[in-house]
Amino acid sequence: MPKIPVITALVAALLFGAATPASKALLNTIPPFQLAGLLYIGAAIGVTPLILRQGKLVIPWHLSKVNLSRLIGSIFFGGILGPVFLLFGLQSASSASVSMWLNLELIFTALLGYFLFKDHLTVYAWLATACMLFAAVLLANSEGTAGITAGLFVALACLSWGLDNHLTVLIEDISPAQTTFWKGVVAGSINFAIGTSANPHSTGFNLIGMAILVGVFAYGFSIVLYIISAQKLGATRGQTIFSTAPFFGVLLSAILLGEPIVSGQIWAGLIIIFSLAFLFLERHEHNHAHEKMLHTHPHWPDQHHRHVHKK
């Protein structure tokens, strides 16, 4: 395996994993709607160099009606609802637990594919689903009474991103980076406007700059680095490396925020590793005939939203 793409993928996972503890810290002073908006505006800024490299920006209303409706749905579920739900959950739970809960996005994506989009799920996928749900219950229990509410908010975020994943994959005539750009610009602006109207003078310019900077690195640059590495490593290797992002989130939560790692989180983490292994076995069984098409769905979480299909 080439060393540079592997390092690039690990840096992308590290940046993406850092989003949760960084957001937890910012929530002490920035309301959820404002923070969600600023993070996504930062993501749009972060992917701009990749768009400039492509040399062309597709304007959404130049898309067909079908693709425009899919893009609007992706913006609504993935850019507006998803991050707000996540931040409300993050307010009352540790960032370590939330980092691990974010793996539910993989499960919701698989279940939505089965029930709504007629995808086939193997035994491995069903086993991964059962294990991940059990891990989510363990995490909720480790967080006490607030864990149930927080877990439900994060689950709603992951459900929103699961819908976003399926819609984004169906969008044609626009690159993944440009989808991310428009999601950041439109959804970020809407959430920030909602948050500002509710709390007009709650956030100073220095905090706004910090939040945007987190979005640039954790969502924008991490996506760019992931795309670069996945194009060299391929689907399975790229996703395997990037799936370390939640565990980077747990580690950084302990180092930067001083959060204790409790036994429930350790057991849940081990179960999640088994779940991810089952999912990768399922993907290996179903190698598609299109290996070079890259789909990237950046938001929170998203070890997740990055699908690389090889021809």
Side-chain angles (χ1 to χ4, degrees):
M1 222 188 297
K3 290 183 179 179
I4 293 179
V6 170
I7 294 171
T8 303
L10 283 171
V11 172
L14 174 63
L15 290 174
F16 199 74
T20 305
S23 298
K24 178 73 173 178
L26 288 169
L27 276 171
N28 292 326
T29 48
I30 305 178
F33 272 97
Q34 284 190 16
L35 182 55
L38 292 170
L39 290 172
Y40 270 58
I41 290 170
I45 295 170
V47 298
T48 299
L50 194 57
I51 295 174
L52 293 174
R53 182 182 171 187
Q54 293 170 352
K56 181 183 178 182
L57 178 64
V58 177
I59 307 301
W61 51 87
H62 290 168
L63 296 170
S64 67
K65 289 184 179 179
V66 172
N67 286 316
L68 179 59
S69 64
R70 290 167 179 165
L71 179 60
I72 292 172
S74 175
I75 290 170
F76 178 72
F77 289 108
I80 296 175
L81 294 185
V84 171
F85 283 140
L86 177 69
L87 291 175
F88 275 110
L90 189 57
Q91 278 188 320
S92 54
S94 68
S95 65
S97 289
V98 172
S99 293
M100 289 191 280
W101 265 324
L102 286 172
N103 285 289
L104 286 171
E105 183 188 337
L106 292 165
I107 299 306
F108 278 116
T109 301
L111 292 177
L112 287 167
Y114 179 80
F115 288 108
L116 295 183
F117 297 92
K118 310 304 179 185
D119 289 346
H120 173 72
L121 291 187
T122 68
V123 173
Y124 289 126
W126 287 114
L127 285 171
T129 300
C131 289
M132 199 77 79
L133 291 175
F134 182 56
V137 172
L138 279 180
L139 288 170
N141 185 62
S142 72
E143 291 288 339
T145 54
I148 297 174
T149 302
L152 287 174
F153 271 121
V154 179
L156 286 171
C158 291
L159 175 61
S160 300
W161 283 321
L163 287 165
D164 173 27
N165 289 344
H166 285 287
L167 289 169
T168 302
V169 167
L170 294 173
I171 299 172
E172 298 173 347
D173 303 325
I174 187 170
S175 71
Q178 294 195 36
T179 301
T180 302
F181 176 81
W182 288 115
K183 194 181 298 182
V185 169
V186 177
S189 299
I190 290 173
N191 276 338
F192 184 70
I194 292 171
T196 303
S197 63
N199 300 277
H201 307 293
S202 61
T203 307
F205 287 109
N206 58 331
L207 289 172
I208 288 174
M210 289 175 61
I212 290 176
L213 201 61
V214 170
V216 169
F217 282 93
Y219 300 135
F221 286 175
S222 74
I223 293 162
V224 173
L225 291 174
Y226 176 81
I227 291 174
I228 292 170
S229 63
Q231 287 173 337
K232 300 291 185 182
L233 296 173
T236 302
R237 287 175 175 175
Q239 289 190 37
T240 300
I241 296 170
F242 197 79
S243 66
T244 60
F247 299 99
F248 277 122
V250 172
L251 181 63
L252 291 171
S253 297
I255 294 172
L256 301 179
L257 303 181
E259 291 185 355
I261 305 300
V262 300
S263 59
Q265 292 172 337
I266 294 172
W267 284 110
L270 292 173
I271 294 169
I272 287 168
I273 290 171
F274 277 109
S275 302
L276 292 172
F278 285 136
L279 284 176
F280 285 124
L281 284 170
E282 190 268 344
R283 287 172 186 167
H284 179 72
E285 273 197 346
H286 288 81
N287 257 344
H288 296 293
H290 48 287
E291 253 191 42
K292 288 203 178 163
M293 178 187 274
L294 183 77
H295 301 305
T296 305
H297 324 296
H299 20 76
W300 282 83
D302 77 54
Q303 76 273 18
H304 65 90
H305 310 246
R306 290 117 199 226
H307 307 312
V308 185
H309 300 306
K310 286 198 167 175
K311 246 177 193 165

